Amino acid sequence: LEFRRVLFRSLAQAITRSYGIPIQVQADSDPTGFDVVINCSPMGLQLDDPVPVPTDKLAPGMVVADILMKNMPTPLLRAAMAKSLPVLPGFDMLILQTPLFLDYFGLPQVGDFLRRDEIERAAGRALHQRDQQNRCQIHELRYAADISNEIG
């Protein structure tokens, strides 16, 4: 067990050094105070597995990810979605890593193509969401104008 803690601390330090991202290793599974909570354990592969973190401690502002691709959404992701937290399921994580795999195996042009494609699709989703919000606002303004005309 101590060997694993030393290994985890070493990995966290390497990530911090290489990417400038502060990584913290802790002795328990309490997610309090973290921005990103990732289940990297096999907990959730079986339907009767315990949830890897106390779900009552999931809080606004957290993003919850689960590397598992079986039994989606996992109980952890369901708990996060019930709190309207953004989630990232295992299959989505795999897809988002595909450009990195392609880079590693000597196909950076294909990886770049997938990155551009994802950026374009994300931009399209953002524009669609903005248009939907604008339509709702326009509808609310028309409704308010109709009511004021009926009253006035």
Side-chain angles (χ1 to χ4, degrees):
L1 189 61
E2 184 57 31
F3 171 75
R4 292 180 72 121
R5 284 194 189 117
V6 170
L7 180 66
F8 294 151
R9 282 191 202 106
S10 175
L11 177 60
Q13 291 167 354
I15 292 170
T16 299
R17 265 192 320 274
S18 296
Y19 300 101
I21 301 169
I23 303 292
Q24 189 176 6
V25 177
Q26 64 184 57
D28 62 26
S29 63
D30 184 349
T32 303
F34 288 90
D35 297 323
V36 179
V37 178
I38 305 172
N39 175 30
C40 296
S41 77
M43 289 177 147
L45 282 174
Q46 303 302 317
L47 294 176
D48 58 348
D49 281 348
V51 180
V53 300
T55 57
D56 60 322
K57 304 252 178 137
L58 296 175
M62 289 180 174
V63 174
V64 181
D66 199 326
I67 66 165
L68 301 178
M69 291 188 271
K70 184 179 175 188
N71 301 327
M72 279 293 134
T74 63
L76 174 62
L77 295 184
R78 282 197 302 271
M81 289 186 294
K83 293 183 176 207
S84 298
L85 300 177
V87 300
L88 191 57
F91 184 75
D92 292 5
M93 293 172 68
L94 175 66
I95 295 302
L96 292 171
Q97 293 172 26
T98 301
L100 299 172
F101 294 140
L102 292 165
D103 292 347
Y104 180 79
F105 289 109
L107 299 167
Q109 298 87 356
V110 181
D112 289 342
F113 172 80
L114 290 178
R115 285 183 191 90
R116 283 191 307 276
D117 185 59
E118 180 54 33
I119 289 168
E120 289 170 8
R121 281 192 282 152
R125 286 189 300 268
L127 288 174
H128 176 74
Q129 185 177 17
R130 187 196 65 197
D131 288 346
Q132 292 296 95
Q133 290 170 344
N134 288 343
R135 283 189 192 117
C136 289
Q137 290 172 350
I138 290 168
H139 177 74
E140 288 169 8
L141 290 173
R142 285 183 185 152
Y143 182 70
D146 290 346
I147 290 176
S148 66
N149 286 338
E150 287 177 20
I151 295 172

